[in-house]
């Protein structure tokens, strides 16, 4: 379920009557690595140049083309100022000057940076953002306290914490100097160890109880130094499988913003591992025809509803067409014979992502350098042959 703000934006965007005008849709990745040395700006400029050079293909009137160019300029100008960028790892922008439209939406992440021109805003990724992101739990733990946070696509909150009953004193000093009278060093350290174990077990139980109230997509364990993953051995196997990473944070002074950033970073790393595994399975399944690789084969499988997981090279672009009657994406006009007029599209890769989201297909944009070399632009794991 979307947040109230996003729900109202979706209603406005889906209710647009564009007529002869076109809407510019921009999804931009803003993860930390994209912000280094203005990397996102370079990608945006390349996309802008490619779109402007391809506008003639769309068969637009001169006035419509001029309107699109003005909107592209407005998007570029907005993103040129760092102060306009959200703290999140992505942003969506929808622009159409003649309709008075310029809508910006911070997103927790985007599949890949893309820029499109169409009769309607491309809202599939925006509409599915919260559901795709899911719900994450982050536990920031030390020996005596735990702070638990819930992180979702557009929000986050701190949940009630857990405090352990602790034995005072960080070292054994004998009677009256940190170890209570009558205790030996062995007994004292056993007491400390038992208290820690009870504390970690209580944190694990709290996480389990929270997971039963609503589905959990992943768990991040954090703490100072070696405490970061200390709770993991105490987790129920169901939850242990959902640990996506660890982080070094101190529960004494951690903020919601820091926890959210650590969760997004852990999620990104986990996504890279998921992408590598998906590409490996794709390579193994090609021989048995449970996978396809390449633009044409993947677009055909997507049109037939065969695709279970769509794999995308983040830098792949390919002009193409959409058949007016069947709605199928194609690389050449000839492929649309018997399926209606071929309508030019600027990039079938971006259109394939939008179509996959419409079909509720899992989309994996493969950023791992080695894995992406095995994808010929587009590839897919299939649900049937």
């Amino acid at each position: 379920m979307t947040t109230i703000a996003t729900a109202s934006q979706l209603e406005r965007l889906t209710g647009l009557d564009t007529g002869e005008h076109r809407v510019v849709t921009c999804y931009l990745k803003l993860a930390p690595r994209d912000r280094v040395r203005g990397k996102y700006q370079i990608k945006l400029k390349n996309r802008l140049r490619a779109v402007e050079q391809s506008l003639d293909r769309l068969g637009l009137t001169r006035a419509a083309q001029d309107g699109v160019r003005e909107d592209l300029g407005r998007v570029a100008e907005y993103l040129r100022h760092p102060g306009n960028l959200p703290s999140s790892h992505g942003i969506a922008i929808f622009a159409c000057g003649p309709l008075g439209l310029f809508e910006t939406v911070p997103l927790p992440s985007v599949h890949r940076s893309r820029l499109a021109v169409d009769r309607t805003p491309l809202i599939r990724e925006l509409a599915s953002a919260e559901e795709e992101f899911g719900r994450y739990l982050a536990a920031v733990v030390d020996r005596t306290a735990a702070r638990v946070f819930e992180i979702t696509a557009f929000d986050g909150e701190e949940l009630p914490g857990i405090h352990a009953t602790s034995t005072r004193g960080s070292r054994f000093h004998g009677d009256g100097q940190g170890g209570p009278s009558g205790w030996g060093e062995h007994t004292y350290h056993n007491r400390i160890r038992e208290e820690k174990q009870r504390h970690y077990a209580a944190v694990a139980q709290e996480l389990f109880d929270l997971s039963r109230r609503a589905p959990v997509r992943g768990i991040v364990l954090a703490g100072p130094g070696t405490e970061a993953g200390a709770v993991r051995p105490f987790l129920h196997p169901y939850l242990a499988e959902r640990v996506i990473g660890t982080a070094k944070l101190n529960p004494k002074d951690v903020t919601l913003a820091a926890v959210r950033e650590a969760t997004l970073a852990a999620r990104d790393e986990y996504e890279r591992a998921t992408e590598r595994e998906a590409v490996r399975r794709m390579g193994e399944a090609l021989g048995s025809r449970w996978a396809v690789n390449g633009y044409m084969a993947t677009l055909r499988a997507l049109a037939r509803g065969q695709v279970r997981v769509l794999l995308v090279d983040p830098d792949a672009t390919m002009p193409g067409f959409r058949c007016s009657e069947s709605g199928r994406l194609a690389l050449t006009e000839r492929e649309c014979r018997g399926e209606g007029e071929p309508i030019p599209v600027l990039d079938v890769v971006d259109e394939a992502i939008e179509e996959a989201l419409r079909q509720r297909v899992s989309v994996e944009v493969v950023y791992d350098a080695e894995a992406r070399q095995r994808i010929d632009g587009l590839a897919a794991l299939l649900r049937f042959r």
Side-chain angles (χ1 to χ4, degrees), residues 208-371:
F208 182 73
D209 292 342
L210 289 170
S211 73
R212 295 181 66 183
R213 296 175 197 170
V216 172
R217 183 69 56 84
I219 292 176
V220 175
L221 301 177
T226 58
E227 301 286 337
V231 173
R232 188 165 190 163
F234 299 86
L235 291 174
H236 186 282
Y238 165 81
L239 288 185
E241 293 176 356
R242 281 161 176 74
V243 174
I244 64 171
T246 60
K248 290 187 178 181
L249 298 172
N250 193 324
K252 300 292 193 299
D253 55 17
V254 74
T255 63
L256 174 59
V259 173
R260 183 174 178 79
E261 187 61 33
T263 302
L264 291 177
R267 182 177 181 271
D268 283 348
E269 288 299 317
Y270 185 78
E271 287 293 318
R272 300 294 84 76
T274 302
E275 293 160 13
R276 290 191 291 269
E277 175 60 18
V279 172
R280 184 193 66 78
R281 287 188 282 119
M282 181 271 293
E284 291 181 349
L286 283 172
S288 57
R289 295 186 296 113
W290 281 103
V292 292
N293 194 6
Y295 293 106
M296 187 172 292
T298 303
L299 293 177
R300 286 176 177 172
L302 191 61
R304 295 169 183 155
Q306 291 176 281
V307 175
R308 178 166 57 89
V309 179
L310 180 68
L311 302 173
V312 183
D313 181 329
D315 292 333
T317 61
M318 179 66 68
F321 301 86
R322 184 180 291 277
C323 308
S324 62
E325 292 183 8
S326 66
R328 184 170 69 87
L329 292 167
L331 296 182
T332 65
E333 296 178 86
R334 185 175 181 179
E335 294 176 67
C336 285
R337 285 183 179 176
E339 299 180 45
E341 290 295 318
I343 302 171
V345 297
L346 297 180
D347 188 357
V348 293
V349 179
D350 285 347
E351 296 288 338
I353 291 174
E354 195 75 6
E355 176 63 21
L357 293 173
R358 187 189 69 79
Q359 295 183 24
R360 305 179 71 84
V361 167
S362 176
V363 176
E364 296 286 355
V365 181
V366 182
Y367 288 93
D368 181 81
E370 182 177 347

Side-chain angles (χ1 to χ4, degrees), residues 51-319:
V51 169
E52 288 181 348
Q53 292 173 349
S54 302
L55 283 180
D56 289 339
R57 293 190 67 247
L58 299 182
L60 304 178
T61 64
R62 178 58 58 186
Q65 285 197 34
D66 290 343
V68 169
R69 289 192 174 92
E70 289 179 7
D71 290 329
L72 292 172
R74 289 198 297 156
V75 170
E77 179 62 19
Y78 182 86
L79 294 171
R80 188 172 66 84
H81 300 284
N84 289 335
L85 301 182
S87 59
S88 59
H89 287 194
I91 188 172
I93 302 178
F94 306 93
C96 182
L99 300 181
L101 173 68
F102 195 86
E103 201 86 42
T104 66
V105 188
L107 294 175
S109 64
V110 301
H111 290 297
R112 77 170 192 163
S113 294
R114 52 193 180 114
L115 193 64
V117 177
D118 209 324
R119 292 181 179 275
T120 58
L122 303 187
I123 62 167
R124 298 289 180 185
E125 188 165 356
L126 174 62
S128 64
E130 188 153 12
E131 182 180 349
E132 282 203 0
F133 187 89
R135 173 177 178 253
Y136 290 81
L137 296 176
V140 188
V141 184
D142 66 8
R143 186 171 68 86
T144 62
R147 296 174 65 182
V148 181
F149 298 79
E150 180 183 76
I151 304 298
T152 56
F154 299 99
D155 206 355
E157 66 173 321
E158 182 171 1
L159 306 176
I162 301 170
H163 294 273
T165 302
S166 61
T167 298
R168 293 189 177 276
S170 59
R171 295 181 61 189
F172 176 80
H173 294 291
D175 292 352
Q177 301 184 51
S181 178
W183 283 16
E185 183 173 3
H186 179 72
T187 303
Y188 175 74
H189 288 297
N190 273 348
R191 175 71 175 270
I192 296 293
R193 183 166 54 251
E194 289 172 2
E195 287 175 353
K196 288 170 66 174
Q197 291 175 350
R198 284 198 299 270
H199 178 50
Y200 296 151
V203 174
Q205 183 61 48
E206 178 67 12
L207 291 173
F208 182 73
D209 292 342
L210 289 170
S211 73
R212 295 181 66 183
R213 296 175 197 170
V216 172
R217 183 69 56 84
I219 292 176
V220 175
L221 301 177
T226 58
E227 301 286 337
V231 173
R232 188 165 190 163
F234 299 86
L235 291 174
H236 186 282
Y238 165 81
L239 288 185
E241 293 176 356
R242 281 161 176 74
V243 174
I244 64 171
T246 60
K248 290 187 178 181
L249 298 172
N250 193 324
K252 300 292 193 299
D253 55 17
V254 74
T255 63
L256 174 59
V259 173
R260 183 174 178 79
E261 187 61 33
T263 302
L264 291 177
R267 182 177 181 271
D268 283 348
E269 288 299 317
Y270 185 78
E271 287 293 318
R272 300 294 84 76
T274 302
E275 293 160 13
R276 290 191 291 269
E277 175 60 18
V279 172
R280 184 193 66 78
R281 287 188 282 119
M282 181 271 293
E284 291 181 349
L286 283 172
S288 57
R289 295 186 296 113
W290 281 103
V292 292
N293 194 6
Y295 293 106
M296 187 172 292
T298 303
L299 293 177
R300 286 176 177 172
L302 191 61
R304 295 169 183 155
Q306 291 176 281
V307 175
R308 178 166 57 89
V309 179
L310 180 68
L311 302 173
V312 183
D313 181 329
D315 292 333
T317 61
M318 179 66 68

Side-chain angles (χ1 to χ4, degrees), residues 2-16:
T2 57
T3 63
I4 294 174
T6 304
S8 63
Q9 288 171 323
L10 284 172
E11 185 176 355
R12 288 196 299 272
L13 292 170
T14 54
L16 288 173

